[in-house]
Amino acid sequence: MTRYCGLLLLLAGPLWAAEPQLRVQAQLLPGSAVVVGQQVQVQVDVLTDTWFTAGASLPEFKLNGARVQAPGGEAEHTTQVIGGQTFYGMRYAYRITPSVAQHFTVPSLTVSAQPGQATAPLSAQTAALTFEATQPPGFAPGEPVLVASAVRLSQTLEAAGLKVGDSLTRTLTLQADDTPGLALPPPAAAAIDGLRLYPQAPSISNLGDGRGAVTGGQRIDPLVYRVVQGGHYSLPAISVKWWDTRNQRLQVAQVPALTVDAQAASTYAPPFAIADDLKALGQHTRWQLSRHLVAWTAAVVLLVLAGYLVHGLWPRLPPIWRNLCATLRWVCRQLRLLPLNPRREKDFP
């Protein structure tokens, strides 16, 4: 009997075991000393001695003078041995980009998760972290600072057979490693006499490793110019200053100047003598108007003569009037004139 009781106690032992553990750890990468514009990662490891039934819940926070990007749904799996015990977990990363030179404090973060075999979600806190951001050499206070481990600047030009009124497009592509796309500064576009610059919206995006992690940023700026007058033009060289985090020194990325030629506006000569045709057409129109004027003048003269003829000839006036009206109708038909009074259209068949 005692033997069976011992067996039952052995089988029920796991049911009486302690609750699973939840541990969180946080550290700053690359360290506590950075420069303005350099991205700092707060790496948070969420660990348990069993497994997780779902992703961990991490809080959001803000820092004055810095841009903070909270972790998304992506996480790396990690395994650590702490005090001789193996823990399994997920690794998250906050990305902080300071914009001013000052001292920063990352507050303590409360993380909750549901380990396997736990009766309820568990919570744990990280320790507060501090770091210092300084202005890198070669940049004036308030000047945009590009900090990266590598920078690539390239350009393309679309300009063929230019003449006054045409447009040319100079496209600049800036790529930087270990910095997001929103941290990339716009290029300096100088005004050029004879060319009018039309601002265009840039295309800004992040570069990734294909597994959800951000490895850098990209900015594409199309500079569109319209040719105002013909001539030979030089598009100046464009340079971008940046701080090299690998070698800890100031670097400059540059693209060379470009030259284009644009033809002046030429006088257009029509293949046909349009001006002569218009002149002849105008003369033809004036002849038609003159003929109409002569016809109306003749009609008025006939009416005046009719007035003299009817003086003292009242008894014979109706026949003369009818003949005169018939003559007028005939003249109008020959001239293709329409009546001014629509109610008398029957008089001009």
Side-chain angles (χ1 to χ4, degrees), residues 22-26 42-48 50-58 71-80 87-93 111-116:
L22 178 66
R23 294 191 178 188
V24 292
Q25 299 175 346
V42 179
Q43 182 177 287
V44 179
D45 293 339
V46 184
L47 306 170
T48 185
T50 57
W51 67 89
F52 289 107
T53 61
S57 176
L58 288 83
E74 72 280 356
E76 297 181 11
H77 294 281
T78 181
T79 301
Q80 299 183 22
F87 285 82
Y88 311 93
M90 296 175 290
R91 176 169 292 172
Y92 299 88
V111 181
S112 62
Q114 177 72 53

Side-chain angles (χ1 to χ4, degrees), residues 30-40 65 96-102 104 131-137 139 145-148 242-246 248-249:
S32 59
V34 296
V35 296
V36 173
Q38 182 177 359
Q39 188 179 91
V40 182
I96 304 174
T97 306
S99 57
V100 295
Q102 65 178 36
F104 292 91
F131 67 93
E132 190 81 20
T134 58
Q135 189 75 9
F139 292 89
V145 180
L146 172 57
V147 179
W242 61 286
W243 181 257
D244 187 350
T245 57
R246 290 180 179 174
Q248 296 296 309
R249 65 177 182 177

